[in-house]
C-alpha cells in the first residue's frame, strides 16, 4: 500500500529490535517470586501517650503516596488542619502548632484525597492532650547537651541525654535528591487509511524528571525545601509549550516550595494554597508567599501574596513580579474561648486581586478579559464542649470590575463595564443526634434453651466480647444554606453566582451499616428578571451500604455458645437513589419561551445497586462485583411528554489471583438506552481482560484487551472498537553506598493495536481505521 510502512518491513524491523529483548528474557527469567503489593499503613507520633498542647504531632505512612493516589488530609475532631501542616514525603507534620491543641481526648482522622477530590477515611487515632504534660522535645542550646524541661518550664533532675551531633551547624541536615532520566521511542507503526497517519510515525525522545528535597533544623528554626524539574527533548511536550509555543524551554521548573518556620511562625514561599473563606479566598493555589503568624494564644494572622493564576517555570520566581496580576489577602482569627480553642472562633479577611488578559494559566490557551476583585469577609466557627453541635457560617462582600484592556479593545471605542458590588453568605450547622449509642445483640445459646432461661443463665462477664456483638449507632443532622448574588465574583474563590440553596441532610452509621438522606432546594435568577428563565430545582437523595457478612455471621460451636466468623458467601451491598426535578417558576417575556415545550419541566430519577464478594485465599483471592443502574429522564413539558430517555446499565467485574505472582481481571458492561420520542433503542456492550504476571524480581508482563460494540435494534448503526496492549518490563536495582545510595533501571517494550469500524446503513457509511505501534523506553532512576 502506498504511503504505508509495509508489513514486511515492519516485522523485519520488529525482529531486529526485539532480538536483544529475547536474549534478555532468556537470561533474566528465573524462578518465580512473590510479588507483594505494599499496603499503606500509618504511624502516629502521639499514639499511646499524653502530649502537651504545644507539642508537634506527626503522622507517617509506610511508603510515599503516588500521584494517582492523591494527598493526605488531617482532621482533629471536626477541624481540618491540613493547610497548617507540613507535607513530607511520607506523611504530615503539624507543629509546633500555630494554635494549641485542644485539651482532653480528641479524635484524629486521616483522609486520602484523590486527584478528583474524593475524600476517603484511611486511619483514625486517639489524641490525648493534657495542660500539664511535659513535651518530649528537648531544648537544645549551643554547645550544651539537651536539657529536659518539665511542665513548669524548669529543668528537671533527669539525666542529660547524649549531645546532638550537628552537621554544618544544624541539628538536622537531610537532603533527598531524585533524578529520572528516560528515553522513549516508537520504532515502527502501521496505519490505515492514509488520513490516519500520526504526526510522528517514528520518534525517539529524551525525558527528565528531577526533584530535590532538604530539611534543615536548629533549635526552633526549621527550613524545608523542595524543587521539581521536568524536561523533554520534544518541544511540543515541554511544560509551557501551550503558553510559549516554540520558545518554551525544554527543561523547566514545575514547582518549588520553601518553608521557613520558627516555633509557631511559618513562612511558605513558592507553590502553596491558602484560604478557607468560602466566597473570598478558598484554597487558592498558585506561586507566592504565605505567612502564618500566631500573635498570642487567642489571636493569629495569615498574610498572602500570590500570582493571579497558577504559574510554572523559571521566570517570575517569586510569583508576584507583576502588580497587575497578583492576589493580596490577609486573614485574622480570634479565639474567644482561650481555655477551649475552637469553641468560638471569629475570622475576618480582606482581598485585593488583579487578573490581566495576557497572563493565563500555563496549561490554558485562551483569551481572557482583565479582571479585578476586592472584598471583605467574616466567618464564625463554633462548637459546644462535647462537639456535638458545630457551626460554620460566613459572609462576603465583593466588588468586581473589568478594567479597560487595550489588547482587547484594539483601538475601538467600547463602553466600559460597570463596577458591581455583590454579597454572598453561607451557614453550615451540624448536630449529632446520637453519638456512639450502643446496642447489644443477645448471645447465641443452645436452641433448646428457652429465651428467658438463657438470659438468666448466661454470665455476660465471662463471655468473650465478640459474643455480644455490640453495635454503635451514630446519627447526625446537617443543614446547609448558601446564597450568592447575581454577578458576584471573587478571583480567589470559585463560587457559582445567582443561586440560593437550602440542604437538609441526615447521616448515620449502625455498626458496619452506613446511610445518608438529603433534600436540596435550589433557585436561580434571584433578581427575578422577567426576561430571564428562573428554574426551581429540587433534589432528593438516599444511599446505604453495609457488609452482609457483619449482619449474618456463621458461628463455630463451642459448647452452647459460638464464636462468630465471617460468611464469605455474603456480599457487601449498596443502594443509592436520586430524584431531581426542574421546573420554570414563570414564563419569561420574549425569547420564544411562550412556545409549547420551551419551558423546562423534568423529573430525573436514578437507582443504583451494587454488590461485592471477596472470597480470600481459599478461593484464589476471587473477587466478584455486580452493579445495576437505572435512570429515567421524564420530560413533562407541554407537547414534549414523549421526549423521555431511559437507561439500564449492568456491570460485572471478576478478579482472581491463582498464584501470588499472577493476577487476572475480567469486566463486562451492558447498556440499554431507550429514546421514547424517536422510538429507538441503542445497546452497547463493553468487555475487557487484564492480566499481570510478575515472572521474577526483574521481569513482568502486562496484557490489556478491551472491545466495545454498539448498535440499535433497528439495525441502522453498527460500531465496534478494539484495543489490545502487550508490554514487557525489565527492572534492575542496585544499591551502592559509596556513590549513589540507590539507582534503578527500567526497560519496557510495548505493542499496541487499535481497530475501529463505524457503519451507518441508512447513510451508506462504512469507515474503518487501524493502527499498530511498537514502542520502547528506558529509564534510569538515581537516588
Amino acid at each position: 500500500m502506498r504511503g504505508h510502512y509495509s508489513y514486511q518491513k515492519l516485522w523485519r524491523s520488529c525482529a531486529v529490535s526485539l532480538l536483544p529483548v529475547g536474549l534478555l528474557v532468556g537470561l533474566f527469567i528465573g524462578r518465580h517470586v512473590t510479588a507483594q503489593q505494599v499496603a499503606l499503613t500509618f504511624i502516629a507520633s502521639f499514639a499511646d501517650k499524653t502530649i502537651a498542647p504545644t507539642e508537634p504531632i506527626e503522622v507517617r505512612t509506610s511508603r510515599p503516596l503516588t500521584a494517582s493516589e492523591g494527598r493526605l488530609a488531617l482532621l482533629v475532631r471536626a477541624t481540618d488542619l491540613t493547610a497548617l501542616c507540613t507535607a513530607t514525603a511520607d506523611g504530615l507534620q503539624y507543629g509546633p502548632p500555630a494554635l494549641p491543641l485542644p485539651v482532653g481526648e480528641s479524635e484524629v482522622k486521616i483522609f486520602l484525597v484523590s486527584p478528583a477530590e474524593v475524600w476517603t477515611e484511611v486511619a483514625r487515632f486517639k489524641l490525648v492532650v493534657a495542660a500539664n504534660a511535659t513535651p518530649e522535645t528537648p531544648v537544645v542550646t549551643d554547645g550544651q547537651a539537651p536539657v529536659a524541661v518539665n511542665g513548669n518550664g524548669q529543668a528537671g533532675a533527669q539525666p542529660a541525654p547524649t549531645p546532638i551531633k550537628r552537621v554544618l551547624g544544624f541539628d538536622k541536615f537531610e537532603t533527598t535528591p531524585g533524578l529520572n532520566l528516560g528515553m522513549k521511542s516508537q520504532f515502527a507503526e502501521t496505519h490505515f487509511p492514509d488520513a490516519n497517519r500520526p504526526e510522528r510515525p517514528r520518534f525517539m525522545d529524551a525525558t527528565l524528571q528531577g526533584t530535590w528535597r532538604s530539611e534543615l533544623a536548629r533549635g526552633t528554626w526549621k527550613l524545608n525545601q523542595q524543587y521539581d524539574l521536568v524536561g523533554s527533548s520534544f518541544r511540543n511536550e515541554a511544560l509551557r509549550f501551550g503558553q510559549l509555543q516554540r520558545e518554551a524551554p525544554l527543561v523547566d521548573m514545575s514547582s518549588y516550595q520553601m518553608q521557613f518556620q520558627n516555633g509557631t511562625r511559618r513562612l511558605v514561599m513558592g507553590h502553596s494554597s491558602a484560604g478557607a473563606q468560602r466566597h473570598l479566598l478558598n484554597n487558592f493555589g498558585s506561586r507566592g508567599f504565605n505567612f502564618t503568624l500566631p500573635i498570642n494564644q487567642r489571636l493569629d494572622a495569615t498574610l498572602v501574596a500570590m500570582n493571579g493564576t497558577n504559574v510554572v517555570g523559571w521566570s517570575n520566581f517569586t510569583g508576584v513580579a507583576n502588580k497587575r496580576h497578583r492576589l493580596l489577602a490577609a486573614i485574622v482569627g480570634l479565639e474567644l474561648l482561650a481555655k477551649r480553642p475552637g469553641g468560638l472562633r471569629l475570622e475576618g479577611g480582606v482581598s485585593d486581586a488583579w487578573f490581566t488578559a495576557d497572563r493565563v494559566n500555563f496549561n490554558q490557551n485562551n483569551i481572557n478579559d482583565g479582571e479585578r476583585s476586592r472584598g471583605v469577609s467574616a466567618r464564625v466557627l463554633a462548637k459546644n464542649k462535647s462537639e456535638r453541635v458545630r457551626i460554620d457560617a460566613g459572609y462576603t462582600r465583593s466588588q468586581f470590575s473589568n478594567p479597560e484592556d487595550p489588547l482587547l479593545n484594539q483601538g475601538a471605542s467600547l463602553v466600559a463595564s460597570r463596577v458591581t458590588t455583590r454579597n454572598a453568605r453561607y451557614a453550615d450547622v451540624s448536630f449529632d443526634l446520637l453519638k456512639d449509642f450502643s446496642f447489644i445483640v443477645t448471645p447465641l445459646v443452645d436452641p433448646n434453651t428457652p429465651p428467658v432461661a438463657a438470659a438468666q443463665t448466661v454470665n455476660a462477664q465471662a463471655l468473650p466480647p465478640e459474643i455480644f456483638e455490640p453495635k454503635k449507632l451514630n446519627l447526625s443532622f446537617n443543614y446547609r444554606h448558601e446564597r450568592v448574588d447575581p454577578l458576584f465574583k471573587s478571583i480567589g474563590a470559585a463560587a457559582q453566582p445567582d443561586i440560593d440553596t437550602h440542604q437538609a441532610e441526615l447521616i448515620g452509621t449502625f455498626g458496619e451499616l452506613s446511610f445518608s438522606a438529603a433534600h436540596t432546594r435550589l433557585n436561580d435568577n434571584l433578581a427575578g428578571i422577567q426576561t430571564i428563565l428562573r428554574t426551581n430545582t429540587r433534589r432528593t437523595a438516599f444511599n446505604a451500604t453495609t457488609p452482609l457478612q457483619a449482619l449474618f455471621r456463621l458461628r463455630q460451636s463451642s459448647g452452647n455458645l459460638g464464636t462468630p466468623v465471617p460468611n464469605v458467601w455474603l456480599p457487601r451491598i449498596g443502594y443509592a437513589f436520586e430524584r431531581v426535578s426542574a421546573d420554570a417558576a414563570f414564563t419569561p417575556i420574549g425569547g420564544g419561551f411562550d412556545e409549547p415545550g420551551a419551558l423546562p419541566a423534568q423529573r430525573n430519577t436514578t437507582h443504583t445497586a451494587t454488590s461485592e464478594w471477596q472470597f480470600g485465599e481459599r478461593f484464589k483471592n476471587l473477587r466478584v462485583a455486580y452493579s445495576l443502574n437505572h435512570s429515567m429522564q421524564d420530560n413533562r413539558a407541554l407537547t414534549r411528554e414523549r421526549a423521555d430517555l431511559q437507561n439500564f446499565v449492568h456491570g460485572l467485574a471478576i478478579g482472581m489471583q491463582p498464584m501470588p505472582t499472577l493476577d487476572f481481571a475480567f469486566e463486562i458492561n451492558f447498556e440499554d438506552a431507550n429514546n421514547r420520542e424517536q422510538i429507538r433503542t441503542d445497546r452497547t456492550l463493553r468487555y475487557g481482560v487484564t492480566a499481570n504476571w510478575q515472572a521474577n524480581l526483574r521481569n513482568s508482563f502486562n496484557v490489556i484487551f478491551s472491545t466495545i460494540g454498539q448498535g440499535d435494534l433497528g439495525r441502522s448503526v453498527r460500531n465496534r472498537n478494539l484495543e489490545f496492549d502487550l508490554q514487557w518490563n525489565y527492572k534492575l536495582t542496585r544499591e551502592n553506598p559509596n556513590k549513589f545510595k540507590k539507582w534503578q533501571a527500567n526497560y519496557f517494550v510495548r505493542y499496541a493495536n487499535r481497530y475501529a469500524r463505524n457503519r451507518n446503513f441508512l447513510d451508506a457509511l462504512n469507515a474503518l481505521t487501524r493502527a499498530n505501534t511498537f514502542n520502547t523506553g528506558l529509564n534510569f532512576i538515581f537516588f
Side-chain angles (χ1 to χ4, degrees), residues 179-201:
L179 181 62
N180 187 330
L181 299 177
M183 180 275 295
K184 61 176 183 177
S185 69
Q186 182 168 289
F187 57 86
E189 70 88 27
T190 64
H191 60 272
F192 177 85
D194 289 340
N196 196 36
R197 184 179 186 273
E199 180 182 356
R200 296 198 303 162

Side-chain angles (χ1 to χ4, degrees), residues 174-390:
E174 295 182 357
T175 60
T176 308
L179 181 62
N180 187 330
L181 299 177
M183 180 275 295
K184 61 176 183 177
S185 69
Q186 182 168 289
F187 57 86
E189 70 88 27
T190 64
H191 60 272
F192 177 85
D194 289 340
N196 196 36
R197 184 179 186 273
E199 180 182 356
R200 296 198 303 162
R202 298 188 219 172
F203 60 83
M204 179 177 292
D205 300 329
T207 61
L208 177 146
Q209 292 182 358
T211 183
W212 185 75
R213 302 184 184 93
S214 68
E215 183 176 356
L216 289 74
R218 176 164 179 170
T220 59
W221 283 91
K222 291 183 179 180
L223 171 60
N224 296 329
Q225 303 178 80
Q226 178 172 339
Y227 302 88
D228 298 313
L229 305 177
V230 295
S232 175
S233 62
F234 182 46
R235 197 172 298 274
N236 287 26
E237 294 181 354
L239 182 63
R240 288 188 287 169
F241 178 79
Q243 180 180 356
L244 302 178
Q245 300 298 314
R246 305 307 303 175
E247 296 182 1
L250 298 180
V251 179
D252 218 336
M253 181 170 61
S254 59
S255 67
Y256 83 95
Q257 185 182 90
M258 295 188 294
Q259 295 188 25
F260 304 88
Q261 185 168 340
N262 181 19
T264 57
R265 296 177 292 274
R266 184 175 65 172
L267 171 64
V268 179
M269 178 180 177
H271 291 83
S272 63
S273 59
Q277 313 291 311
R278 182 176 300 183
H279 299 119
L280 181 70
L281 183 66
N282 189 12
N283 199 27
F284 183 83
S286 186
R287 179 188 290 181
F289 299 89
N290 190 335
F291 183 39
T292 303
L293 176 63
I295 300 174
N296 53 40
Q297 290 186 352
R298 292 190 176 188
L299 189 63
D300 60 89
T302 300
L303 306 177
V304 178
M306 289 186 173
N307 194 274
T309 53
N310 198 4
V311 60
V312 298
W314 306 103
S315 59
N316 195 2
F317 185 79
T318 62
V320 294
N322 187 345
K323 66 179 182 179
R324 296 291 182 180
H325 190 75
R326 66 186 180 190
L327 178 144
L328 304 176
I331 300 172
V332 178
L334 175 63
E335 293 285 350
L336 298 182
L337 303 178
K339 295 183 178 179
R340 190 161 56 88
L344 182 58
R345 176 178 171 84
L346 302 180
E347 290 183 0
V350 295
S351 173
D352 187 357
W354 289 82
F355 181 90
T356 57
D358 59 335
R359 299 290 194 278
V360 297
N361 281 327
F362 72 96
N363 54 359
Q364 292 181 345
N365 191 14
N366 61 320
I367 300 176
N368 296 291
D369 196 3
E371 300 175 355
R372 187 184 185 185
S373 69
R374 292 181 291 182
V376 296
S377 68
R379 185 186 182 196
V380 179
L381 295 143
K383 55 188 175 183
N384 67 337
K385 190 173 183 179
S386 63
E387 298 190 7
R388 299 188 67 168
V389 180
R390 301 172 296 276

Side-chain angles (χ1 to χ4, degrees), residues 4 54 79 129 138 149 177 185 214 317 322 343 346 353 361 369 374 386 429 445 448 496 534 557 623 633:
H4 292 185
T54 58
T79 305
V129 180
V149 179
S185 69
S214 68
F317 185 79
N322 187 345
L346 302 180
N361 281 327
D369 196 3
R374 292 181 291 182
S386 63
V429 181
V445 296
N448 298 322
Q496 181 181 352
R534 176 173 179 172
S557 62
R623 309 176 303 275
Q633 179 179 311

Side-chain angles (χ1 to χ4, degrees), residues 523-525 528 530 532-538 582-588 599-600:
N523 299 323
D524 58 3
N525 191 10
Q530 295 300 308
I532 299 178
L533 176 67
R534 176 173 179 172
T535 305
N536 296 331
T537 304
R538 307 291 182 260
D583 298 279
F586 54 83
T587 303
L599 295 177

Side-chain angles (χ1 to χ4, degrees), residues 134 148-150 155-161:
T134 302
V149 179
N150 58 26
Q158 302 175 5

Side-chain angles (χ1 to χ4, degrees), residues 481-743:
H481 165 67
E482 183 178 15
R483 178 186 172 91
V484 184
D485 287 348
L487 302 180
F488 176 91
K489 189 169 185 179
S490 175
I491 295 178
Q496 181 181 352
D498 200 12
I499 60 168
D500 184 82
T501 306
H502 297 266
Q503 178 179 327
E505 183 180 35
L506 197 65
I507 301 177
T509 60
F510 180 64
E512 293 80 5
L513 170 67
S514 61
F515 57 89
S516 66
H519 179 73
T520 306
R521 302 172 65 89
L522 186 146
N523 299 323
D524 58 3
N525 191 10
L526 303 184
I529 302 175
Q530 295 300 308
T531 57
I532 299 178
L533 176 67
R534 176 173 179 172
T535 305
N536 296 331
T537 304
R538 307 291 182 260
R539 176 183 179 270
T540 302
F542 170 80
N543 71 79
T545 178
T546 182
L548 293 182
Q549 296 179 359
L551 298 181
F552 305 98
R553 294 187 178 184
L554 298 176
R555 292 186 181 274
Q556 297 175 349
S557 62
S558 177
N560 289 335
L561 300 176
T563 302
V565 294
N567 188 345
V568 297
W569 299 104
L570 295 179
R572 169 183 287 272
I573 61 173
Y575 172 74
F577 167 81
E578 182 182 34
R579 179 182 175 87
V580 180
S581 63
D583 298 279
F586 54 83
T587 303
I589 301 174
F593 287 102
D594 54 349
E595 297 292 333
L599 295 177
Q602 284 190 1
R603 303 291 184 272
N604 299 337
T605 306
T606 303
H607 301 266
T608 303
T610 59
S611 56
E612 181 181 358
W613 291 262
Q614 293 186 355
F615 294 97
E617 297 182 359
R618 180 181 176 185
F619 298 92
K620 305 298 184 182
N621 292 316
L622 179 63
R623 309 176 303 275
V624 180
Y626 171 76
S627 63
L628 171 64
N629 177 274
H630 170 256
S631 61
M632 178 66 181
Q633 179 179 311
D634 184 8
N635 197 332
R636 301 186 179 183
L638 187 63
T639 72
R640 296 294 310 278
E641 291 85 354
R642 294 288 299 172
D644 301 336
L645 299 176
Q646 184 178 17
N647 284 70
F648 281 94
V649 181
H650 300 264
L652 177 65
I654 301 175
M656 179 178 289
Q657 192 175 9
M659 61 180 64
T661 60
L662 184 61
D663 186 87
F664 288 103
F666 172 76
E667 184 175 354
I668 184 169
N669 185 281
F670 175 76
E671 180 178 353
D672 185 288
N674 182 15
N675 189 320
R676 296 181 177 179
E677 185 178 32
Q678 300 179 2
I679 315 178
R680 174 180 174 138
T681 300
D682 292 280
R683 290 180 173 175
T684 304
L685 178 64
R686 308 179 181 90
Y687 63 88
V689 179
T690 62
N692 300 297
W693 178 36
Q694 186 73 38
N696 54 31
L697 284 175
R698 297 180 178 179
N699 294 271
S700 63
F701 297 87
N702 310 102
V703 179
I704 301 176
F705 172 80
S706 63
T707 181
I708 301 176
Q710 186 269 335
D712 62 329
L713 294 184
R715 298 181 180 275
S716 62
V717 174
R718 285 291 183 273
N719 300 324
R720 186 182 180 188
N721 293 272
L722 182 145
E723 296 183 0
F724 176 75
D725 292 90
L726 174 63
Q727 179 168 318
W728 169 69
N729 306 279
Y730 175 76
K731 178 179 178 180
L732 178 62
T733 302
R734 287 287 185 271
E735 295 187 6
N736 188 348
N738 296 326
K739 296 182 179 180
F740 301 116
K741 291 184 178 179
K742 185 177 182 180
W743 70 272

